[in-house]
Amino acid sequence: MEGLYHHTNKQVHEVQSYMGRLETSDKESVHLVENEIQARIDNIFSNLERLEILSSKEPPNKRQNAKLRVDQLKYDVQHLQTALRNFQHRRYIREQQERQREELLARTFTTNDSDTTIPIDETLQFNESLQNAHRGMDDLIGSGTNILQGLRDQRVTLKGTHKKILDVANMLGLSNTVMRLIEKRAFQDKYFMIGGMILTCVIMFLVVQYLT
């Protein structure tokens, strides 16, 4: 399990570094980078499924810690998946706006002999669509921010739970040691008591024999 865990953790860090290439990629290569990142994320999810099975087979004293480590990796890759989807949605909105702008600029006006007719209604509708798209993107970014914050809070909670479990495990280990010492002392005291009783009986027997 350790080898697969470290390999998966390395993959998570590689995806994090790949995410930085999205903002700097041009229109022709950004799709390739997105596909590469998604393929790596899918591979990580596949490894996590195997890690969950392997962690359930760990010895009882290591099982909880192994599950916590797997859960932490799962939260990290879910965070990356959400970030990738947010980027893809922003790119889609941006490309849609660029297409609409190009269509507007390429539109030919209708001219008459005495005046020029400009499709004002369509222009207003286009501006309204742009504003709606901006609002939708802002809502999406806000939602993505809330999701990321929720993942961070869950990770902090998970670390706190991990620490508490380790503390309890250490306390249980100490309690087991104390119980073993108590049982050993009780076992020794039992033999001391029996030996003392035998010695007392011998002394009493010798005293009676001497006095009689």
Side-chain angles (χ1 to χ4, degrees):
M1 176 182 173
E2 288 297 319
L4 182 60
Y5 170 80
H6 290 298
H7 175 68
T8 306
N9 189 41
K10 180 181 177 181
Q11 287 181 315
V12 170
H13 290 295
E14 289 176 351
V15 172
Q16 289 174 343
S17 64
Y18 263 80
M19 293 294 292
R21 295 173 54 184
L22 287 174
E23 299 294 343
T24 58
S25 300
D26 53 30
K27 294 181 180 180
E28 289 74 19
S29 62
V30 65
H31 296 283
L32 298 176
V33 177
E34 288 177 354
N35 293 337
E36 175 68 19
I37 293 175
Q38 186 61 59
R40 289 174 179 265
I41 290 176
D42 293 339
N43 188 28
I44 292 173
F45 275 121
S46 177
N47 289 343
L48 287 174
E49 292 179 357
R50 295 172 55 194
L51 283 172
E52 287 181 339
I53 297 174
L54 293 175
S55 64
S56 63
K57 297 180 180 180
E58 286 287 301
N61 59 332
K62 296 182 179 180
R63 188 176 303 155
Q64 187 63 35
N65 185 41
K67 289 183 177 180
L68 289 174
R69 295 167 68 192
V70 174
D71 287 341
Q72 183 173 341
L73 282 179
K74 186 183 297 184
Y75 284 126
D76 289 341
V77 73
Q78 286 174 346
H79 163 78
L80 293 173
Q81 181 69 82
T82 301
L84 176 61
R85 289 174 179 172
N86 287 340
F87 176 84
Q88 289 174 327
H89 186 80
R90 292 196 305 270
R91 178 181 56 76
Y92 172 77
I93 295 297
R94 185 170 59 250
E95 291 177 353
Q96 186 180 29
Q97 291 175 351
E98 291 177 356
R99 285 195 300 269
Q100 292 174 345
R101 189 179 300 109
E102 290 174 358
E103 290 176 358
L104 180 62
L105 294 176
R107 188 182 301 275
T108 57
F109 299 131
T110 303
T111 58
N112 297 322
D113 295 335
S114 57
D115 61 345
T116 301
T117 303
I118 302 176
I120 300 297
D121 292 339
E122 293 184 7
T123 304
L124 293 175
Q125 184 178 2
F126 172 74
N127 289 333
E128 184 178 356
S129 298
L130 284 179
Q131 292 177 359
N132 292 334
H134 281 296
R135 284 194 295 268
M137 186 170 61
D138 291 339
D139 293 340
L140 180 65
I141 294 174
S143 177
T145 302
N146 292 333
I147 292 174
L148 295 180
Q149 185 61 42
L151 291 174
R152 294 190 187 98
D153 295 339
Q154 289 176 350
R155 184 174 183 179
V156 172
T157 302
L158 184 63
K159 288 183 177 180
T161 305
H162 185 195
K163 185 177 183 300
K164 289 181 180 179
I165 290 175
L166 292 179
D167 292 339
V168 171
N170 291 332
M171 291 177 61
L172 290 177
L174 179 60
S175 300
N176 291 333
T177 302
V178 174
M179 290 299 296
R180 286 195 296 268
L181 290 175
I182 292 174
E183 291 175 356
K184 182 178 179 181
R185 182 60 183 272
F187 183 79
Q188 293 175 347
D189 290 344
K190 179 180 178 181
Y191 278 94
F192 286 148
M193 183 185 68
I194 294 175
M197 292 173 62
I198 294 174
L199 180 61
T200 301
C201 291
V202 171
I203 292 174
M204 291 176 62
F205 176 78
L206 292 176
V207 170
V208 172
Q209 287 294 105
Y210 179 78
L211 293 178
T212 58

